[in-house]
Amino acid sequence: MSMKFGRDGDRHDKIRKLWKERASGRSSWILTLLPMALAFLLGWGGLVQAKAETYADVANSRSGNISVIRTSDHTVVATVPVLSPNGVGISTDGEFVCAANGTNSSVSVIRTSDNAQVTQVPTSASTWDCSFTPDGAFIYVTTSTGVKVIRTSDYTVVASPTTLGSWRVAITPDGAFIYATNWTNNNVSVIRTSDHTEVTRVPVGSSPHNIAITPDGAFAYVANSGSGSVSVINLALNMEVGRIAVGSSPQGVAVAPDETLAYVANSTSNTISVIRLPDNTVMGTVTGVKSPLDCAFTPDGAFIYVTTNTGVKIIRTSDNTVVATVPVGSDPIGITIGSPPVSVATLSLNAACFQVGDPLQLDLRLVTGSTSPPGGTYCFELKWWMETPMAFPADRISLANL
């Protein structure tokens, strides 16, 4: 049996050991492990996805950084310096985070594997929010002079679909359309992503702030900060089909992953409105949350993270109880939650069939994402060789029949 441990590109020599099984007594444990390993290979296609760790990225505008919170234990694990971030977004694959740097008129792009800023793209206008297209090819940015489109292959602004002052942005799950709130014009721009063209504007309430799209892509919910309401937009019709009264100056809105609830952050009434979907009824109010601004659900919907002027409040959605407050930087505003790339494991053999007496080589490779442990991709290989005597049912055996 040969085992190799090391990191790709590591300077250290790999450790090797060789164990040859020549007696049937010592071979029995291999016979026990082999079916398990083959079941791993044949039953799951040789690929296992490890559980993804989830992180919340919080834009701290005044302190000029992003707090990275591990949601499994609500702990800040990193602080990333940028400029004056207002809104943040994470790519679908979890590899990058964008930060709209407010009056610094730029967008920072951060690599999640090492929390390093890889570039800063000038936008020539104050930037408020950003969102990646699902394929990661573009970043849509809301600015004081309209929506800007950044091509990620070379981080260049390639289009400006609108000229209205926009605040927040959301993208449909299929990536076909972008919705941007125009806070001074009381409407929402609908932009087709295939050609970066504004196709219509949807009238909503006064001073629309944040916007959230349901996971099925059927509706958008818009927090109207000037009218204390939430507009419901039917995305098939691009029409407001309902308006829900909430608290005063609603800023943030988020839809639960299972589409049963929407939470609204009412900044001046210091409350969170809980809306039941799809009948759009306010079914509860969370109190004692001072100056809430933005909110985001964990992927399992068990918690919602809310930015406030006293840190990030974590609300357990099963009973709408604030269970923790996470201290972050100064003036936290935007928040996004996502998962960086996760670990995979693969198993392969040197042949589909083998003859008793022939060596069988079984390779197990585990590759972990560079976020845990940090510093690069790690590979672990396990090999063993089987030799006679072995108690197989026939003189030739196919792996497919095990």
Side-chain angles (χ1 to χ4, degrees), residues 59-66 80-86 99-108 110 117 120-121 127:
N60 305 307
S61 181
R62 189 169 300 172
S63 56
N65 52 36
I66 293 175
V80 185
V82 283
L83 291 176
S84 54
N86 193 295
N101 286 318
T103 55
N104 282 282
S105 304
S106 65
V107 173
S108 293
I110 299 157
Q117 181 175 272
Q120 191 177 106
V121 186
T127 58

Side-chain angles (χ1 to χ4, degrees), residues 181-197:
T181 57
N182 303 314
W183 80 90
T184 59
N185 294 82
N186 303 330
N187 57 32
V188 175
S189 289
V190 183
I191 301 167
R192 186 172 54 227
T193 59
S194 60
D195 57 1
H196 312 307
T197 299

